[in-house]
Amino acid sequence: LAKTTQPISMDSYEGQEVNITCSHNNIATNDYITWYQQFPSQGPRFIIQGYKTKVTNEVASLFIPADRKSSTLSLPRVSLSDTAVYYCLVGETGGGNKLTFGTGTQLKVEL
Amino acid sequence: GAVVSQHPSWVICKSGTSVKIECRSLDFQATTMFWYRQFPKQSLMLMATSNEGSKATYEQGVEKDKFLINHASLTLSTLTVTSAHPEDSSFYICSARRDQGANIEAFFGQGTRLTVV
Protein backbone atom coordinates (compact mmCIF):
# COMPACT_ATOMS: atom_id res chain seq x y z
CA LEU A 1 0.00 0.00 0.00
CA ALA A 2 1.36 3.39 -0.96
CA LYS A 3 2.30 5.61 1.96
CA THR A 4 0.93 9.12 2.06
CA THR A 5 2.32 12.31 3.56
CA GLN A 6 0.16 15.32 4.41
CA PRO A 7 0.64 18.47 6.46
CA ILE A 8 -0.36 17.89 10.06
CA SER A 9 -2.49 21.00 10.25
CA MET A 10 -3.74 24.00 8.29
CA ASP A 11 -5.56 27.17 9.28
CA SER A 12 -7.90 29.21 7.13
CA TYR A 13 -10.71 31.74 7.29
CA GLU A 14 -14.28 31.53 6.15
CA GLY A 15 -14.76 32.17 2.46
CA GLN A 16 -11.23 31.27 1.48
CA GLU A 17 -10.14 28.46 -0.79
CA VAL A 18 -8.15 25.74 0.92
CA ASN A 19 -5.74 23.43 -0.85
CA ILE A 20 -4.39 20.38 0.94
CA THR A 21 -1.60 18.52 -0.80
CA CYS A 22 -0.79 14.87 -0.28
CA SER A 23 2.41 13.14 -1.38
CA HIS A 24 2.32 9.52 -2.49
CA ASN A 25 5.61 8.88 -4.23
CA ASN A 26 5.23 5.13 -4.54
CA ILE A 27 1.71 5.06 -5.91
CA ALA A 28 1.05 1.99 -8.04
CA THR A 29 -0.49 1.86 -11.48
CA ASN A 30 -3.78 0.44 -10.19
CA ASP A 31 -4.08 2.82 -7.25
CA TYR A 32 -6.80 5.39 -6.93
CA ILE A 33 -6.60 8.46 -4.69
CA THR A 34 -9.42 9.00 -2.25
CA TRP A 35 -10.02 11.77 0.27
CA TYR A 36 -12.12 11.45 3.41
CA GLN A 37 -13.31 13.97 5.97
CA GLN A 38 -13.71 13.17 9.64
CA PHE A 39 -15.39 15.18 12.35
CA PRO A 40 -14.71 14.41 16.03
CA SER A 41 -16.40 11.23 17.24
CA GLN A 42 -17.74 10.39 13.80
CA GLY A 43 -16.72 7.94 11.09
CA PRO A 44 -14.89 9.22 8.01
CA ARG A 45 -17.00 10.59 5.20
CA PHE A 46 -16.09 10.20 1.53
CA ILE A 47 -15.27 13.47 -0.21
CA ILE A 48 -13.81 12.72 -3.60
CA GLN A 49 -11.85 10.15 -5.56
CA GLY A 50 -9.70 10.28 -8.66
CA TYR A 51 -7.14 8.50 -10.77
CA LYS A 52 -5.57 11.26 -12.86
CA THR A 53 -5.98 14.88 -13.99
CA LYS A 54 -8.88 16.67 -12.35
CA VAL A 55 -12.07 15.54 -10.68
CA THR A 56 -14.77 17.88 -9.40
CA ASN A 57 -17.95 17.29 -7.48
CA GLU A 58 -20.34 19.48 -5.52
CA VAL A 59 -18.04 19.54 -2.52
CA ALA A 60 -14.46 19.69 -3.74
CA SER A 61 -11.98 19.35 -6.57
CA LEU A 62 -9.09 16.94 -6.78
CA PHE A 63 -6.04 17.78 -8.84
CA ILE A 64 -3.64 15.02 -9.80
CA PRO A 65 -0.50 15.77 -11.84
CA ALA A 66 0.64 13.52 -14.66
CA ASP A 67 3.17 11.63 -12.53
CA ARG A 68 0.45 10.99 -9.87
CA LYS A 69 3.03 11.25 -7.10
CA SER A 70 0.94 13.84 -5.35
CA SER A 71 -2.60 15.14 -5.27
CA THR A 72 -4.29 18.30 -4.05
CA LEU A 73 -7.70 18.52 -2.48
CA SER A 74 -9.26 21.91 -3.10
CA LEU A 75 -12.12 23.14 -0.93
CA PRO A 76 -13.71 26.31 -2.34
CA ARG A 77 -14.98 28.97 0.04
CA VAL A 78 -14.64 27.06 3.29
CA SER A 79 -16.92 27.67 6.24
CA LEU A 80 -16.62 26.96 9.94
CA SER A 81 -18.31 23.61 9.39
CA ASP A 82 -15.40 22.48 7.23
CA THR A 83 -13.20 22.31 10.33
CA ALA A 84 -12.27 18.64 10.38
CA VAL A 85 -9.48 16.16 9.72
CA TYR A 86 -8.91 15.34 6.06
CA TYR A 87 -7.32 12.05 5.06
CA CYS A 88 -5.69 11.17 1.77
CA LEU A 89 -5.69 7.47 0.95
CA VAL A 90 -4.19 5.55 -1.90
CA GLY A 91 -5.27 2.05 -2.84
CA GLU A 92 -6.40 -0.32 -5.54
CA THR A 93 -9.77 -0.59 -7.23
CA GLY A 94 -11.21 2.70 -6.19
CA GLY A 95 -10.14 2.58 -2.58
CA GLY A 96 -12.57 -0.14 -1.63
CA ASN A 97 -9.91 -2.54 -0.56
CA LYS A 98 -8.10 -2.39 2.76
CA LEU A 99 -7.64 1.28 3.49
CA THR A 100 -4.63 2.49 5.42
CA PHE A 101 -5.05 5.88 7.01
CA GLY A 102 -2.14 8.26 7.37
CA THR A 103 -1.94 11.05 9.90
CA GLY A 104 -4.42 13.28 8.12
CA THR A 105 -4.56 17.08 8.05
CA GLN A 106 -6.41 18.97 10.76
CA LEU A 107 -8.07 21.93 9.05
CA LYS A 108 -9.22 24.74 11.28
CA VAL A 109 -11.46 27.39 9.79
CA GLU A 110 -12.00 30.62 11.67
CA LEU A 111 -14.20 33.65 11.20
CA GLY B 1 -24.44 7.35 -0.67
CA ALA B 2 -24.80 3.96 0.96
CA VAL B 3 -25.50 3.71 4.68
CA VAL B 4 -23.51 1.81 7.26
CA SER B 5 -24.83 1.78 10.80
CA GLN B 6 -23.03 0.90 13.99
CA HIS B 7 -24.63 0.01 17.27
CA PRO B 8 -24.25 1.12 19.94
CA SER B 9 -22.92 4.65 19.41
CA TRP B 10 -21.36 4.56 22.82
CA VAL B 11 -21.01 2.04 25.60
CA ILE B 12 -19.56 2.00 29.09
CA CYS B 13 -18.62 -1.33 30.58
CA LYS B 14 -16.86 -2.69 33.63
CA SER B 15 -13.36 -4.05 33.40
CA GLY B 16 -13.40 -7.79 32.70
CA THR B 17 -16.69 -7.85 30.84
CA SER B 18 -17.26 -8.31 27.11
CA VAL B 19 -18.83 -5.85 24.72
CA LYS B 20 -20.31 -6.51 21.30
CA ILE B 21 -20.42 -3.86 18.58
CA GLU B 22 -22.55 -4.33 15.49
CA CYS B 23 -21.90 -3.01 11.99
CA ARG B 24 -24.69 -3.19 9.46
CA SER B 25 -24.83 -2.22 5.82
CA LEU B 26 -28.39 -0.99 5.50
CA ASP B 27 -28.93 -0.76 1.77
CA PHE B 28 -26.31 -2.98 0.20
CA GLN B 29 -24.63 -6.31 0.71
CA ALA B 30 -21.06 -6.33 1.93
CA THR B 31 -18.93 -9.41 1.63
CA THR B 32 -16.06 -7.49 3.20
CA MET B 33 -16.09 -5.20 6.20
CA PHE B 34 -13.23 -3.59 8.06
CA TRP B 35 -12.78 -2.74 11.72
CA TYR B 36 -10.69 0.22 12.87
CA ARG B 37 -9.70 1.64 16.21
CA GLN B 38 -8.95 5.28 16.82
CA PHE B 39 -7.38 6.79 19.93
CA PRO B 40 -7.80 10.50 20.73
CA LYS B 41 -6.07 12.81 18.26
CA GLN B 42 -4.72 9.86 16.31
CA SER B 43 -5.52 8.37 12.95
CA LEU B 44 -7.60 5.29 12.30
CA MET B 45 -5.75 2.03 12.76
CA LEU B 46 -6.97 -0.99 10.86
CA MET B 47 -7.59 -3.91 13.19
CA ALA B 48 -8.99 -6.59 10.94
CA THR B 49 -10.76 -7.45 7.73
CA SER B 50 -14.04 -9.26 8.15
CA ASN B 51 -15.09 -11.64 5.39
CA GLU B 52 -18.60 -13.05 5.15
CA GLY B 53 -18.60 -16.78 5.77
CA SER B 54 -14.94 -17.06 6.66
CA LYS B 55 -12.48 -16.14 9.35
CA ALA B 56 -11.40 -12.58 9.79
CA THR B 57 -7.91 -11.47 8.85
CA TYR B 58 -6.20 -9.60 11.66
CA GLU B 59 -3.50 -6.98 11.35
CA GLN B 60 -0.18 -7.55 13.03
CA GLY B 61 -0.31 -6.91 16.74
CA VAL B 62 -4.08 -7.28 17.06
CA GLU B 63 -5.11 -10.16 19.31
CA LYS B 64 -7.69 -12.28 17.54
CA ASP B 65 -8.81 -13.94 20.78
CA LYS B 66 -9.48 -10.61 22.37
CA PHE B 67 -11.22 -8.95 19.45
CA LEU B 68 -13.63 -11.53 18.11
CA ILE B 69 -15.10 -10.79 14.71
CA ASN B 70 -18.09 -12.55 13.22
CA HIS B 71 -19.45 -11.82 9.75
CA ALA B 72 -22.43 -14.12 9.66
CA SER B 73 -24.41 -12.41 6.93
CA LEU B 74 -23.88 -10.09 4.00
CA THR B 75 -25.16 -7.14 5.98
CA LEU B 76 -23.81 -7.70 9.48
CA SER B 77 -20.41 -7.94 11.09
CA THR B 78 -19.84 -7.90 14.83
CA LEU B 79 -16.79 -7.05 16.90
CA THR B 80 -16.68 -8.41 20.44
CA VAL B 81 -14.12 -6.98 22.82
CA THR B 82 -13.60 -9.76 25.34
CA SER B 83 -12.44 -9.24 28.90
CA ALA B 84 -12.24 -5.52 28.30
CA HIS B 85 -9.70 -3.41 30.17
CA PRO B 86 -9.36 0.36 30.47
CA GLU B 87 -6.67 0.38 27.78
CA ASP B 88 -9.28 -0.96 25.33
CA SER B 89 -11.19 2.28 25.71
CA SER B 90 -11.23 3.78 22.24
CA PHE B 91 -13.36 4.79 19.28
CA TYR B 92 -14.16 1.77 17.11
CA ILE B 93 -15.20 2.32 13.50
CA CYS B 94 -16.33 -0.14 10.87
CA SER B 95 -16.49 0.22 7.13
CA ALA B 96 -18.28 -1.87 4.56
CA ARG B 97 -17.15 -2.46 1.04
CA ARG B 98 -19.73 -2.17 -1.71
CA ASP B 99 -18.89 -3.84 -5.00
CA GLN B 100 -20.72 -2.60 -8.05
CA GLY B 101 -18.89 -4.16 -10.93
CA ALA B 102 -15.69 -2.24 -11.45
CA ASN B 103 -16.74 0.40 -8.94
CA ILE B 104 -15.74 -0.50 -5.39
CA GLU B 105 -16.31 1.91 -2.53
CA ALA B 106 -15.92 1.86 1.23
CA PHE B 107 -18.58 3.37 3.49
CA PHE B 108 -17.99 4.04 7.15
CA GLY B 109 -20.21 3.69 10.18
CA GLN B 110 -20.59 6.50 12.67
CA GLY B 111 -18.31 4.81 15.17
CA THR B 112 -18.72 3.40 18.67
CA ARG B 113 -17.18 5.05 21.72
CA LEU B 114 -16.12 2.35 24.19
CA THR B 115 -15.21 3.33 27.74
CA VAL B 116 -14.02 0.62 30.10
CA VAL B 117 -14.12 1.53 33.77
Side-chain angles (χ1 to χ4, degrees):
Chain A
L1 296 170
K3 181 181 177 181
T4 60
T5 303
Q6 303 173 233
I8 296 296
S9 64
M10 294 183 69
D11 294 328
S12 185
Y13 294 95
E14 276 203 318
Q16 303 232 323
E17 178 184 82
V18 171
N19 297 307
I20 306 174
T21 297
C22 177
S23 297
H24 28 80
N25 292 317
N26 58 339
I27 187 169
T29 303
N30 294 332
D31 286 344
Y32 280 73
I33 300 157
T34 310
W35 285 80
Y36 286 86
Q37 175 193 56
Q38 187 183 28
F39 297 112
S41 296
Q42 292 186 28
R45 184 176 74 99
F46 173 90
I47 300 175
I48 197 166
Q49 183 181 90
Y51 184 80
K52 62 179 179 180
T53 63
K54 177 184 175 181
V55 180
T56 298
N57 61 22
E58 64 276 9
V59 178
S61 294
L62 178 60
F63 299 91
I64 305 168
D67 65 5
R68 304 201 325 122
K69 293 183 182 300
S70 67
S71 59
T72 299
L73 174 71
S74 181
L75 305 172
R77 298 180 299 281
V78 294
S79 63
L80 293 176
S81 62
D82 292 317
T83 294
V85 178
Y86 292 83
Y87 293 98
C88 161
L89 285 83
V90 174
E92 287 188 6
T93 56
N97 283 334
K98 185 167 69 173
L99 296 175
T100 301
F101 284 77
T103 56
T105 298
Q106 172 67 64
L107 173 65
K108 182 179 180 182
V109 180
E110 299 175 294
L111 287 173
Chain B
V3 179
V4 174
S5 178
Q6 276 184 245
H7 178 81
S9 297
W10 59 270
V11 58
I12 301 173
C13 71
K14 291 185 177 180
S15 187
T17 62
S18 295
V19 174
K20 180 185 286 187
I21 303 170
E22 294 185 348
C23 179
R24 293 182 184 273
S25 56
L26 299 185
D27 52 0
F28 67 99
Q29 294 182 332
T31 57
T32 304
M33 291 185 178
F34 305 94
W35 287 96
Y36 296 83
R37 180 168 54 182
Q38 186 176 34
F39 293 107
K41 297 192 181 299
Q42 293 188 24
S43 184
L44 284 76
M45 184 191 78
L46 180 66
M47 299 175 66
T49 302
S50 172
N51 302 297
E52 189 269 335
S54 64
K55 292 183 178 180
T57 304
Y58 290 82
E59 295 299 302
Q60 190 173 7
V62 178
E63 300 176 58
K64 62 179 182 180
D65 294 329
K66 181 169 183 60
F67 299 99
L68 301 179
I69 292 173
N70 184 278
H71 195 153
S73 78
L74 288 172
T75 59
L76 174 64
S77 175
T78 60
L79 168 68
T80 301
V81 183
T82 63
S83 186
H85 291 284
E87 57 265 31
D88 297 323
S89 298
S90 187
F91 191 54
Y92 291 86
I93 306 170
C94 74
S95 75
R97 170 176 147 171
R98 183 181 73 178
D99 295 6
Q100 289 184 323
N103 185 31
I104 302 174
E105 295 182 70
F107 298 91
F108 287 82
Q110 74 272 32
T112 298
R113 175 75 59 193
L114 170 62
T115 302
V116 184
V117 297

